[in-house]
Amino acid sequence: MHTLYDSETFSVTHMLANLDTDAQHPSGASKSEHGAQVLPMLLRHGFEIVDKRANKEVYLDGSWAELFQQHIQAWQANTPTQEEVEDTLERYAELAQNPLSIH
């Protein structure tokens, strides 16, 4: 888990799939008939976007995460202003339905 962005209004965390690369057989992995390691199909990453103003969060995975990853790559190529980042995050935050609860 890596915090990618944190401001007064938004926080973005990249959630990585847990993959034990040191073990011979990661959880759920098996060997194919040719001896190659076969990993589980559901290892996916995602992004958690927290709207601090509305106290809501949204988790992006699958195609939503891929789309958001494209935004991140574009930001790496052409450094955006904070306003551009916040505008993009606000559009994603509109998807947020889950109230934020602190444990």
Side-chain angles (χ1 to χ4, degrees):
M1 165 165 98
H2 299 286
T3 299
L4 301 178
Y5 184 78
D6 192 20
S7 72
E8 291 182 17
T9 52
F10 290 102
S11 175
V12 178
T13 305
H14 185 196
M15 307 297 224
L16 302 171
N18 293 330
L19 177 61
D20 184 2
T21 56
D22 294 331
Q24 266 187 323
H25 298 285
S27 176
S30 61
K31 296 270 186 177
S32 72
E33 63 184 55
H34 303 291
Q37 193 168 354
V38 178
L39 298 175
M41 297 298 291
L42 293 177
L43 285 179
R44 299 197 315 199
H45 69 96
F47 297 92
E48 178 186 53
I49 300 173
V50 174
D51 183 344
K52 296 177 182 179
R53 299 165 302 176
N55 290 327
K56 291 191 175 184
E57 64 90 21
V58 62
Y59 184 78
L60 306 174
D61 71 345
S63 60
W64 283 105
E66 291 173 17
L67 181 62
F68 190 70
Q69 180 71 38
Q70 291 172 4
H71 282 286
I72 291 172
Q73 290 170 342
W75 290 340
Q76 290 172 339
N78 304 308
T79 306
T81 65
Q82 183 172 356
E83 185 178 329
E84 292 171 323
V85 171
E86 299 267 330
D87 288 345
T88 300
L89 294 176
E90 189 167 0
R91 287 195 301 268
Y92 281 101
E94 290 173 359
L95 300 170
Q97 300 297 315
N98 302 326
L100 184 64
S101 61
I102 300 174
H103 300 278

